[in-house]
Amino acid sequence: LDSYLEKNLSAQPMTVFDHLGERLDTEFYYRHPRSYKRRGIYSVHEPSPTVRGVNRPIPKTYVKHSGDACSPNENVRPLTTIERSYLQTFPMDFKFFGSKSDLEQMIGNAVPVKLAEYVANCIKEYQVDLKKGRINQARQLQFYV
């Protein structure tokens, strides 16, 4: 399926700003790192890191990491639960139900909606081509091996 998965990829990684535009009222945001050996402050002008199942404010004791997009300041904030769902490409009108902790876990554990849609469409296109004989038998066997 490689050729099906690769043929419609974008040439450039999408940034948070590319995806959300002016919807975020901040240029920098905090994502709680797994350890303080990792950075925690990101710019909206870079791709999003993995959306985790935890969402915490910047600790008062947070020390700037060398990879941070800026120093901690009053304008840096964590993304809201709903903003994090947008990064996972949930539709803006999607209704979530549950406690804040449950929602954070659901959003953090989710496969990005548009990624799942993209992969499903690639598999569908492959199946159509297979059914119409557009894929030779040797290639089909290679897929199953």
Side-chain angles (χ1 to χ4, degrees):
L1 290 174
D2 288 352
S3 62
Y4 290 85
L5 293 168
E6 292 172 359
K7 78 177 187 177
N8 292 316
L9 292 178
S10 63
Q12 296 274 25
M14 180 179 277
T15 69
V16 172
F17 188 81
D18 293 337
H19 181 58
L20 296 176
E22 298 288 338
R23 285 188 196 99
L24 295 179
D25 62 348
T26 187
E27 186 175 351
F28 302 101
Y29 63 95
Y30 177 76
R31 174 194 170 267
H32 196 69
R34 293 184 70 147
S35 81
Y36 289 115
K37 293 179 182 174
R38 297 179 182 206
R39 71 185 190 142
I41 300 176
Y42 295 83
S43 167
V44 297
H45 299 290
E46 62 183 299
S48 170
T50 300
V51 175
R52 296 182 56 218
V54 300
N55 194 20
R56 298 185 183 132
I58 302 174
K60 293 188 186 323
T61 58
Y62 184 79
V63 177
K64 183 181 186 318
H65 183 278
S66 61
D68 282 345
C70 73
S71 295
N73 65 67
E74 66 279 351
N75 295 321
V76 177
R77 63 172 178 84
L79 298 179
T80 66
T81 303
I82 198 68
E83 288 168 341
R84 290 161 36 87
S85 78
Y86 299 157
L87 291 181
Q88 292 286 63
T89 65
F90 280 92
M92 298 214 173
D93 61 352
F94 191 86
K95 302 290 184 216
F96 290 96
F97 297 95
S99 69
K100 186 173 188 300
S101 294
D102 289 344
L103 299 183
E104 294 294 348
Q105 285 293 304
M106 281 188 263
I107 291 164
N109 290 333
V111 171
V113 176
K114 291 294 185 182
L115 174 62
E117 179 182 44
Y118 181 81
V119 171
N121 285 331
C122 290
I123 292 170
K124 180 181 173 184
E125 184 180 352
Y126 174 84
Q127 290 294 323
V128 167
D129 286 352
L130 189 61
K131 188 180 263 187
K132 291 185 176 185
R134 295 181 188 147
I135 300 172
N136 67 37
Q137 194 67 19
R139 186 167 178 206
Q140 180 184 357
L141 291 174
Q142 182 181 13
F143 174 72
Y144 290 107
V145 172

